Amino acid sequence: MARIISLITLLLCTLIVLTWPDITEGTALTYNVAAHEKACFYAWVDKAYEKVSFYFAVQSGGSFDIDYTVTDPRDKLVINGDRERQGDFVFTANFVGEYSFCFANDMSTFAEKIVDFEITIENEPRAELPPSKGVTPEQTSNMEESLIRLSGSLSTIARSQKYFRTRENRNFSTVKSTENRIFWFALLESTLIVGMAALQVFVVRTFFSTTKRGNV
């Protein structure tokens, strides 16, 4: 009997996992925003009052900041920010239609910005499982709640990984920029030392040449 209940539980978990993608719809992208460029991306909301999550992080370029705006299908501003390094927002889509997510790199003269972002649309209704023999509705509800908590924990872990990835990319970019500055500073210092040595040799030779002429 215990084996049958375990088999039914495993079957229910498999069905929930298979039907879970119908609940959440998301897009994760990485885009290189050129200097003075405004790049927009769009997401379609099928039903009103759906939850829309928007995450972005500047991975490299300049001071790791960028301007962003989110507008609804009526071209009304939902959220915006200037010179932000990263953001994580969740808002309710009150209207059906196309929402725009734009990044603007107008403040940079020549620096390109690599932006990692994700747009997720979550439907409010949950997937309903077909009734199964030997499993009560309370057990099914408990399993659904456990899977929802597990999904939330996995989302938190994924966001933490993105955060550490962003920190790693920024630190690597900082180290690379520091190495370049040290290289050019050392090259300039070496050039100045060689120039000063050559100038000293020239001054000494000129001094002795003038002295010999004076003695003659």
Side-chain angles (χ1 to χ4, degrees):
M1 185 65 182
R3 293 182 178 178
I4 296 176
I5 295 177
S6 300
L7 181 61
I8 293 175
T9 303
L10 180 60
L11 180 60
L12 286 174
C13 291
T14 305
L15 288 174
I16 292 175
V17 171
L18 290 176
T19 57
W20 201 263
D22 294 334
I23 300 177
T24 303
E25 179 182 348
T27 302
L29 294 172
T30 299
Y31 187 78
N32 187 6
V33 185
H36 302 291
E37 180 185 2
K38 182 178 181 180
C40 294
F41 303 86
Y42 304 92
W44 184 269
V45 176
D46 295 328
K47 300 178 182 178
Y49 306 110
E50 290 183 344
K51 298 295 183 181
V52 180
S53 61
F54 174 50
Y55 165 83
F56 76 92
V58 182
Q59 301 294 332
S60 64
S63 300
F64 305 99
D65 56 351
I66 201 165
D67 301 337
Y68 68 92
T69 55
V70 179
T71 56
D72 62 11
R74 304 180 305 166
D75 291 334
K76 298 294 184 180
L77 188 65
V78 180
I79 52 176
N80 70 319
D82 297 331
R83 299 180 180 273
E84 297 289 341
R85 293 190 169 190
Q86 64 185 49
D88 192 358
F89 310 96
V90 178
F91 62 92
T92 301
N94 296 323
F95 306 97
V96 177
E98 192 174 59
Y99 286 75
S100 64
F101 304 80
C102 298
F103 299 101
N105 193 19
D106 296 331
M107 81 287 292
S108 296
T109 306
F110 58 88
E112 299 179 346
K113 307 290 179 64
I114 297 179
V115 182
D116 183 16
F117 66 96
E118 182 178 357
I119 302 170
T120 306
I121 301 173
E122 300 177 356
N123 298 326
E124 294 294 342
R126 299 179 183 175
E128 297 182 357
L129 297 177
S132 301
K133 296 181 180 179
V135 180
T136 61
E138 290 78 10
Q139 292 176 338
T140 303
S141 178
N142 291 335
M143 285 193 307
E144 288 181 355
E145 294 296 334
S146 299
L147 286 174
I148 290 173
R149 288 195 297 268
L150 181 61
S151 176
S153 300
L154 290 176
S155 299
T156 303
I157 293 173
R159 293 296 172 86
S160 299
Q161 290 178 341
K162 290 179 181 179
Y163 171 76
F164 288 121
R165 177 192 172 192
T166 301
R167 289 289 301 272
E168 181 182 3
N169 290 336
R170 290 176 181 174
N171 292 337
F172 178 78
S173 179
T174 302
V175 170
K176 187 176 179 181
S177 175
T178 304
E179 288 179 350
N180 291 333
R181 292 179 182 178
I182 292 174
F183 171 77
W184 289 111
F185 180 78
L187 183 61
L188 178 62
E189 185 179 15
S190 300
T191 303
L192 290 176
I193 291 174
V194 173
M196 289 179 63
L199 181 62
Q200 288 177 353
V201 172
F202 174 76
V203 170
V204 171
R205 292 185 60 182
T206 304
F207 175 76
F208 281 106
S209 298
T210 305
T211 303
K212 287 181 180 181
R213 292 177 183 177
N215 292 333
V216 172

